[in-house]
Amino acid sequence: MRSRIHYTKPSITELEVGYATDAARNGWGEHCYDYIHRFEAMFREHLGVKHAIATSGCTGALHMGLAALGIGPGDEVILADSNWIASVSSVVHLGATPVFVDILPDSWCLDPALVEAAITPRTKAIIAVHLYGNLCELDRLLALGALHGIPVIEDAAEAIGSIWHGRRAGSMGTFGAFSFHGTKTLTTGEGGMFVTNDDVLYEAVLTLSNHGRARNQKQQFWPDVVGFKYKMSNVQAAIGCGQIERIDALCERKHAILDHYRSLLAPWADVIDLNPEPEGTVNGAWMPTAVFASRTGVTRERLQQAFAGDGIDARVFFHPLSSLPMFGSNQGAANASDIAARAINLPSYHDMTDEEQARVVDVIRKTLHG
Ligand SMILES: *Cc1c(COP(=O)(O)O)cnc(C)c1O
């Protein structure tokens, strides 16, 4: 039996181990925020933003950001139907109504024309999720947001390393949210980051993130509002410091893996779409994804079976959120359900070998040619 190929795996070196060890040994008392502040500073610099707050995850960063924007019952938030539930759960927790729109067939991200058509007087935010590292059409979304006075939020959990005409994903919206879950390009096990260039929003989220205690509040244990507790620990931030020092190498390797898939799959380029990389952009390539042309007859189920048979973890493309029971069990938007039915996420991790990529492509070849 050949060794199992996992779909993602973190890259942890002596650098991260050294920092984490130091944090575990010395990062207490007056040093209990040292790595957190250092990680936030390095992340700000990497992204080119004014403010960053380390969090327990992307979900918490989104929850606090949306809460700080005052989103609540009666409000509508527009996002793509093809998404992981984490992108919408905070909308639900805040009592607002998610409005799902279909995706574009090439980027698998929300279609700006459908976003525009979905805007109502109740629309209070647009969540642009850069799916699998693919970039949303930010120019059009930001223009729509500006025209209608609606904040555009970037869920960049999958898009560290993605660049839109010189600016990094997550740095362009009203705020951005990142995830450092164990499957993500930069990981702290669990963890995330809230980022913004807006001073007022930053102060509001900082207060919310500290159980509602404003930083200028002089009274001890005196919350000003009911807040949240979505913090990152100093030990996790220490791992994050090692990861962010290596961020260029981590992203370059992800990109190289996508490029290598592209060349291995070149013979089938007319029937397999991989993550796009339009002119002027860089795809962070978090998750190489293959979408098979309808005429090949290849289905998600056949792909799952073929990969499982060869000891390879391949993930299904996200189910349309509107097809989930809590959102109405609909059939899903047209592209969102159609693409998911003939797509698969391919394994990709820092230490993946060319032989392992060849094994993945071999399964695809066999699936296509019987
Ligand atoms: C991973 C992910 C999340 C959730 O991040 P956590 O850190 O697990 O909270 C949210 N949105 C997207 C797009 C993700 O990929």
Side-chain angles (χ1 to χ4, degrees):
M1 185 70 191
R2 292 195 281 181
S3 63
R4 181 158 204 92
I5 299 179
H6 298 276
Y7 72 89
T8 62
K9 234 184 321 195
S11 167
I12 300 297
T13 65
E14 285 309 310
L15 184 66
E16 289 86 346
V17 171
Y19 288 157
T21 305
D22 177 55
R25 198 169 273 140
N26 306 311
W28 311 104
E30 63 191 297
H31 297 296
C32 74
Y33 297 116
D34 288 3
Y35 280 108
I36 296 172
H37 293 151
R38 187 164 139 194
F39 184 36
E40 288 171 342
M42 291 181 76
F43 201 83
R44 279 198 305 268
E45 181 162 348
H46 168 74
L47 214 66
V49 289
K50 228 168 143 185
H51 306 291
I53 301 172
T55 61
S56 55
C58 182
T59 311
L62 285 170
H63 197 175
M64 291 193 293
L66 293 171
L69 290 174
I71 288 165
D75 296 337
E76 293 172 356
V77 176
I78 300 173
L79 74 163
D81 204 14
S82 294
N83 266 311
W84 176 227
I85 196 165
S87 297
V88 71
S89 59
S90 54
V91 175
V92 176
H93 289 312
L94 289 166
T97 306
V99 176
F100 303 117
V101 298
D102 206 357
I103 54 172
L104 291 167
D106 51 353
S107 70
W108 320 323
C109 292
L110 76 185
D111 181 338
L114 297 178
V115 171
E116 184 165 28
I119 291 174
T120 75
R122 291 172 183 269
T123 307
K124 289 292 151 55
I126 297 163
I127 303 181
V129 184
H130 303 298
L131 204 75
Y132 304 137
N134 301 357
L135 285 150
C136 298
E137 297 215 353
L138 279 169
D139 285 349
R140 289 177 67 192
L141 293 174
L142 293 171
L144 270 179
L147 181 67
H148 295 272
I150 300 168
V152 176
I153 290 147
E154 290 182 86
D155 178 344
E158 305 178 359
I160 199 162
S162 296
I163 303 175
W164 175 263
H165 301 279
R167 298 168 78 192
R168 291 193 176 274
S171 70
M172 292 165 274
T174 301
F175 72 83
F178 287 84
S179 172
F180 310 132
H181 180 254
T183 55
K184 300 288 167 41
T185 301
L186 182 163
T187 190
T188 58
E190 294 281 357
M193 195 73 80
F194 169 91
V195 299
T196 186
N197 288 311
D198 182 322
D199 299 340
V200 176
L201 187 62
Y202 167 68
E203 287 297 334
V205 172
L206 197 63
T207 298
L208 286 178
S209 77
N210 195 21
H211 269 316
R213 289 174 288 186
R215 64 169 159 176
N216 57 6
Q217 175 57 255
K218 294 288 177 283
Q219 280 197 76
Q220 212 179 10
F221 292 127
W222 194 263
D224 298 274
V225 291
V226 176
F228 296 95
K229 189 64 188 297
Y230 288 134
K231 291 199 180 195
M232 175 181 282
S233 78
N234 200 49
V235 178
Q236 289 169 300
I239 297 173
C241 285
Q243 293 267 286
I244 194 82
E245 280 186 36
R246 297 176 53 229
I247 190 63
D248 290 341
L250 292 173
C251 292
E252 276 161 24
R253 183 66 194 126
K254 277 285 194 182
H255 200 272
I257 289 169
L258 176 60
D259 282 346
H260 193 50
Y261 274 130
R262 207 179 298 287
S263 63
L264 292 174
L265 292 168
W268 303 283
D270 55 334
V271 290
I272 299 177
D273 284 338
L274 291 171
N275 310 52
E277 195 165 44
E279 197 62 38
T281 70
V282 176
N283 193 311
W286 171 60
M287 189 145 281
T289 299
V291 178
F292 294 75
S294 306
R295 65 177 185 277
T296 62
V298 171
T299 61
R300 159 179 59 201
E301 287 72 22
R302 251 176 71 199
L303 289 161
Q304 275 182 285
Q305 208 176 9
F307 279 110
D310 207 34
I312 298 171
D313 295 339
R315 305 196 329 175
V316 299
F317 196 96
F318 293 127
H319 304 285
L321 288 170
S322 64
S323 73
L324 299 176
M326 65 297 264
F327 298 120
S329 305
N330 300 315
Q331 57 191 25
N335 289 334
S337 68
D338 173 45
I339 290 172
R342 48 188 175 83
I344 200 86
N345 297 147
L346 306 177
S348 126
Y349 47 88
H350 195 76
D351 297 324
M352 191 169 193
T353 63
D354 286 355
E355 292 70 39
E356 287 170 324
Q357 284 200 258
R359 258 178 74 189
V360 171
V361 169
D362 208 41
V363 172
I364 292 177
R365 185 183 54 75
K366 281 189 261 177
T367 308
L368 275 168
H369 300 295

